[in-house]
Amino acid sequence: LELLKRKLRERTSGLIDLFLSSDGQSIPFGANWVHEIQAALDSTSTMFIAVSPASVASAWLYFESGYAYSRGVKVVPIAISGASIEALRPPLSLLQGFNIRSHEGLNNIIAVINNQYGLTFMEDFSQKDYEELSAVADLPMAISGSALRFVDRIVFSFHKNLKSDDETGTLVLA
C-alpha cells in the first residue's frame, strides 16, 4: 500500500494528499485511530473501497462505505487480490466499480480522479507498474494467503480542498 501511495502521489504531482492509516504518518502515534479515520471520511467527496477476499467478509468494509455514501460521498469499489466486484453483496454491489487485474485497472483510479475534479493527470500506469505493485501489494498476480490475514479492508478516499484554488484530495487506506 505504501508503494501504491507513492505511485499515486507521483502520478498526481503531489497535489493529492494521501492518507494511509497503516503508514505510521497519517495517524499520529497516540491518536485515536477511529477518530482519525472518521475525520478523513468526513472531509472527502470521493472514496475508493479496495475489496480483497478478506475485506468482503468484514463488516467494516460495509460500515465505512455506508457511512461515506450516506453523507453524499461518491463511493467506487475496486477489487484487488483476486476478489471480484461481482462477488460484492448489496448495498455495495449496487455501486459501479472495477477490478484491478492489469495496469488499465490502476489507470481507472486516475480516470476517476480526473473526471471527479476536472483534472488532467496522465493515465500512464504501465504493466510494469502493475507487476511491481502485484509483487508487494498482493494484487492478483501475486496472491499470498498468508499475507491476506493482515488485510481486513482498504479504503481509498479523495476530496477537493474547498479552501484554496488548488485541486487536492485525500487517499484513505484503512
Side-chain angles (χ1 to χ4, degrees), residues 50-58 61 79-84 87 138 143 148 151-152:
V51 180
S52 72
S55 71
V56 170
S58 170
L61 177 81
I80 64 169
S81 300
S84 176
D138 198 29
I143 295 173
L148 290 177
V151 179
D152 183 42

Side-chain angles (χ1 to χ4, degrees), residues 80-163:
I80 64 169
S81 300
S84 176
I85 294 302
E86 294 78 19
L88 289 173
R89 299 184 319 259
L92 200 51
S93 65
L94 302 175
L95 302 175
Q96 184 67 27
F98 55 91
N99 298 310
I100 297 182
R101 296 185 178 138
S102 69
H103 68 286
E104 288 94 354
L106 292 171
N107 284 323
N108 285 339
I109 296 171
I110 301 297
V112 170
I113 294 168
N114 285 340
N115 289 335
Q116 183 72 7
Y117 303 112
L119 301 172
T120 58
F121 295 122
M122 295 295 297
E123 297 172 29
D124 63 354
F125 278 108
S126 67
Q127 188 62 25
K128 181 180 176 188
D129 290 319
Y130 175 77
E131 291 169 5
E132 185 179 355
L133 286 165
S134 295
V136 296
D138 198 29
L139 293 174
M141 289 183 66
I143 295 173
S144 168
S146 62
L148 290 177
R149 73 177 191 269
F150 298 110
V151 179
D152 183 42
R153 71 205 172 288
I154 303 170
V155 179
F156 295 86
S157 173
F158 297 86
H159 73 278
K160 181 177 179 181
N161 182 351
L162 299 175
K163 296 180 182 178

Side-chain angles (χ1 to χ4, degrees), residues 1-8 20 129 132-133 136-137:
L1 295 179
E2 289 181 26
L3 180 57
L4 178 58
K5 175 182 173 177
R6 189 173 38 239
K7 287 187 176 289
L8 283 171
L20 174 60
D129 290 319
E132 185 179 355
L133 286 165
V136 296

